[in-house]
Amino acid sequence: MKTILPLLLLVVCPVVTIAQNRYDVVIDEIMADPSPQISLPNNEWIELKNTTTAPINLLNWRIADASGQSGPMPNFILQPDSFVIVCTGSAATAMAAWGTTIAVTSFPSLDNDGELLFLKAANGKTIHAIHYSAGWYKNEVKKEGGWTLEMTDTKNPCTGGLPARQAGSNWKASTSTAGGTPGRKNSTDAINTDDAPPQLKNAYTLDNTTIILVYDEPVDSSAAATVTNYTIDGGLTIAQATTIPPLFNQVQLKTAAPLTANTVYNITATNITDCKGNSIASANSTRVGLPVDPVAGEWIINEILFNPRSNAFDYTEFYNNSNKIFDASKLYIANRNSSGVISSVKALSTVPFYIFPGDYIVETEDAASLSVQYLVKYPEQVLVITAPPSFPDEEGTVVALNFQGIVVDEVAYKDDWHFKLIDNAEGVSLERIDPAVPSQEGANWHSAASTAGYGTPTYKNSQYKRTEPITATIQTSPKVFSPDNDGRDDIATIQYAVTEPGFIASITIFDAAGRPVRYLVRNATLGLNGYWHWDGLDDKGNKLPVGSYIIFTEIFNLQGKKEQFKSIVVLARKL
């Protein structure tokens, strides 16, 4: 008798990945601003892509932003190299016509310009995070709405994932005629090789033992959390290192001993890599310390461009005139309205950014435009402010405030402070001559030199000149000056010192033939010391010829004391 065995069917089920690593699934397309519509529905959504070779179950995954997270995703298997649209329930039907769609409750409201967006697995682990901005569109028309942002190379997801990293070098506006490619391969899909090493951009402190390092891109969390990969000077050691999610571009360090006030420390990072294995190179050190709030004389307005060229922007340069450390996120710029009230107050930075002794910091509305118009030696010292205070072309007021809202410096500038022989001051900045001289001294401001491109944002002014202590009652320097606005000896400075208050001075300048050519000062009340500048012009603002000139100074007081001084200067010009 034959025994009939039952037929056994062997069913092979695909292996579904449960535990994921960073970048196994990426956010590869974003519709943050669907209006005005092109062809796609008027809904916000994102697209996810599985970058691995195994199916991944998205059950209980969530989308999150800085304000919160969505409800859990349903039981959905995302196949290798495939896509799924994620949106709110009310948009799901419309989006399903374009591709596979899943809905979540509390889908984040996507900001049009600037949003921290990240994807979390069921276990709470951050799988992918980006901080996009409108600059990523790289298209002035498309950034106004109706077009998606697409990731160019999903195999290099950490390239250009942060605003600091070349303005989203791995993202751009969709080129699809529909305005986007939901549910299918991106229209901008291409190879975008990542061979750039991570850079350590800056650091700040949370308290006297906690330091936050900021990199320009996400870094390997294991390497970044290795204590031995960091050194700090000043006799300190690092006791602990922790990589901070969701972007993983920041690392928290704990020092074994507290930092000291008014001390600048240098931190160096080694063996730090990005998600493609590129190892940190020369841009691996930064400064840090404990910031304080400045007072008057420590944080000063140093250069002002209030009349920019066509299609360019104003800028204001500040200078740390102290031995202290300041935080730009706790410093403010403002103007005064027609009633003289402080107005249009804006923070210099939205995130901590430290300003060290001797640093020059520039604020403007467009850093790229600034670099086109002028030589910017230190672009990392340029802070961009959206809709900064306005400064009129003829006259206005620049105000600097500290964290307490106290005015620490103020300049009520006038366009006639410019060098008189400049025919057109458009695009020419006003530079402070001596940081130690009071801000409102009009004579302490001069047009930036032509040889410096009429502006020196982020570095020492072309007209910089420290007033040296004098030993004589009247002293003129330099002995030879050339008022051609080339940044070298453009002005003659007449310094005075008297032994008691109450003196009055008059200064007349004579040519070599003894003829008066300039009545520089008339019956000016003197302090115990001070100065005047002569720009080489006569009383009508005309250029004087080269040659020797006599500066005749008379000083007297009401008690009958009187003194006279003569000094000779040579006015020269380039041939």
Side-chain angles (χ1 to χ4, degrees):
M1 183 176 179
K2 293 181 179 180
T3 300
I4 301 175
L5 298 176
L7 180 63
L8 297 178
L9 296 178
L10 178 63
V11 178
V12 179
C13 297
V15 176
V16 178
T17 303
I18 298 176
Q20 284 77 41
N21 298 312
R22 283 170 63 189
Y23 310 119
D24 281 357
V25 178
V26 297
I27 302 168
D28 79 315
E29 189 170 6
I30 307 166
M31 176 59 90
D33 186 7
S35 179
Q37 286 180 259
I38 307 301
S39 294
L40 299 175
N42 190 10
N43 299 309
E44 295 181 355
W45 50 270
I46 67 167
E47 178 184 84
L48 303 180
K49 180 182 180 181
N50 181 346
T51 64
T52 72
T53 57
I56 296 176
N57 192 341
L58 300 183
L59 178 64
N60 292 327
W61 286 43
R62 299 172 189 266
I63 297 295
D65 64 5
S67 61
Q69 62 182 13
S70 73
M73 296 184 192
N75 187 8
F76 176 82
I77 307 299
L78 182 59
Q79 298 297 327
D81 200 33
S82 62
F83 309 88
V84 63
I85 303 164
V86 183
C87 60
T88 189
S90 61
T93 300
M95 294 310 304
W98 293 83
T100 303
T101 302
I102 57 176
V104 293
T105 59
S106 303
F107 183 80
S109 177
L110 304 180
D111 294 340
N112 294 348
D113 185 7
E115 175 86 9
L116 173 62
L117 196 64
F118 51 104
L119 175 66
K120 298 172 66 175
N123 61 4
K125 182 179 181 179
T126 299
I127 303 301
H128 186 214
I130 57 172
H131 193 167
Y132 68 87
S133 73
W136 287 14
Y137 288 93
K138 302 177 182 67
N139 186 298
E140 291 301 309
V141 173
K142 293 182 178 181
K143 78 175 186 179
E144 296 303 319
W147 300 84
T148 65
L149 278 171
E150 293 183 346
M151 185 188 290
T152 301
D153 189 350
T154 56
K155 298 298 183 182
N156 287 311
C158 62
T159 302
L162 296 170
R165 188 70 166 183
Q166 300 173 0
S169 59
N170 199 32
W171 290 78
K172 63 179 65 174
S174 175
T175 59
S176 168
T177 56
T181 54
R184 57 191 176 91
K185 186 170 71 172
N186 289 344
S187 62
T188 63
D189 184 77
I191 295 175
N192 186 20
T193 303
D194 179 11
D195 55 8
Q199 298 181 13
L200 180 56
K201 302 299 293 184
N202 61 284
Y204 61 93
T205 53
L206 298 182
D207 53 50
N208 63 2
T209 60
T210 308
I211 301 169
I212 303 296
L213 302 183
V214 181
Y215 293 90
D216 71 331
E217 65 171 321
V219 293
D220 179 82
S221 55
S222 177
T226 302
V227 170
T228 54
N229 286 341
Y230 301 98
T231 57
I232 184 170
D233 61 9
L236 296 180
T237 57
I238 305 299
Q240 181 182 337
T242 307
T243 314
I244 303 174
L247 292 172
F248 297 99
N249 71 311
Q250 297 188 0
V251 177
Q252 177 177 291
L253 302 179
K254 284 284 190 177
T255 58
L259 281 67
T260 304
N262 297 333
T263 302
V264 178
Y265 297 90
N266 295 283
I267 297 178
T268 301
T270 55
N271 303 318
I272 305 299
T273 58
D274 62 16
C275 70
K276 292 299 292 184
N278 298 309
S279 185
I280 197 166
S282 58
N284 67 333
S285 63
T286 190
R287 297 172 294 175
V288 76
L290 298 174
V292 297
D293 213 16
V295 297
E298 295 179 341
W299 179 241
I300 64 172
I301 299 162
N302 195 58
E303 185 176 356
I304 311 167
L305 178 71
F306 51 84
N307 184 10
R309 300 182 183 101
S310 178
N311 299 318
F313 301 87
D314 293 352
Y315 73 77
T316 304
E317 181 185 76
F318 299 90
Y319 176 64
N320 183 345
N321 192 38
S322 76
N323 64 346
K324 302 175 183 177
I325 303 169
F326 308 135
D327 182 354
S329 68
K330 296 180 179 180
L331 297 173
Y332 304 88
I333 185 172
N335 57 22
R336 288 190 184 272
N337 61 24
S338 57
S339 301
V341 177
I342 292 175
S343 174
S344 305
V345 179
K346 285 294 186 77
L348 295 187
S349 176
T350 58
V351 297
F353 184 91
Y354 285 6
I355 304 162
F356 296 90
D359 278 359
Y360 298 88
I361 297 295
V362 172
E363 74 77 21
T364 188
E365 190 171 354
D366 192 313
S369 173
L370 184 69
S371 294
V372 170
Q373 299 290 328
Y374 304 94
L375 170 63
V376 180
K377 286 188 176 181
Y378 306 103
E380 68 277 6
Q381 302 295 87
V382 177
L383 303 178
V384 175
I385 299 180
T386 303
S390 61
F391 300 111
D393 292 350
E394 294 183 357
E395 60 180 59
T397 305
V398 184
V399 183
L401 304 100
N402 65 12
F403 191 55
Q404 299 296 327
I406 297 171
V407 175
V408 292
D409 199 17
E410 182 170 351
V411 178
Y413 64 84
K414 299 178 184 294
D415 61 349
D416 63 8
W417 287 4
H418 276 297
F419 183 51
K420 298 300 186 293
L421 295 184
I422 291 179
D423 294 328
N424 183 4
E426 187 176 273
V428 181
S429 75
L430 270 178
E431 293 184 334
R432 191 180 191 129
I433 298 171
D434 187 345
V437 172
S439 299
Q440 202 48 50
E441 291 269 359
N444 193 45
W445 293 83
H446 197 280
S447 304
S450 58
T451 53
Y454 295 110
T456 53
T458 73
Y459 60 102
K460 188 169 74 172
N461 290 344
S462 60
Q463 304 292 2
Y464 171 90
K465 181 179 180 182
R466 283 281 188 180
T467 303
E468 299 296 332
I470 62 174
T471 56
T473 304
I474 295 290
Q475 180 173 303
T476 303
S477 64
K479 297 303 180 184
V480 179
F481 76 114
S482 54
D484 48 17
N485 205 42
D486 66 352
R488 182 176 180 181
D489 296 334
D490 284 331
I491 51 179
T493 300
I494 305 156
Q495 294 177 255
Y496 71 85
V498 293
T499 56
E500 57 186 280
F503 278 93
I504 296 172
S506 294
I507 299 178
T508 305
I509 299 173
F510 297 86
D511 63 15
R515 295 169 297 199
V517 295
R518 179 75 179 269
Y519 295 100
L520 187 67
V521 177
R522 275 291 169 263
N523 297 324
T525 303
L526 305 185
L528 293 179
N529 54 73
Y531 68 96
W532 302 276
H533 291 315
W534 179 38
D535 54 11
L537 305 181
D538 65 14
D539 283 329
K540 296 180 180 180
N542 297 320
K543 186 188 299 185
L544 287 168
V546 299
S548 298
Y549 290 84
I550 299 169
I551 299 176
F552 180 68
T553 305
E554 294 180 288
I555 297 177
F556 66 93
N557 64 14
L558 298 180
Q559 286 70 46
K561 293 182 179 180
K562 183 178 180 179
E563 289 190 65
Q564 297 178 339
F565 304 87
K566 292 181 181 180
S567 56
I568 297 176
V569 295
V570 175
L571 192 160
R573 288 190 178 90
K574 293 180 180 177
L575 297 178

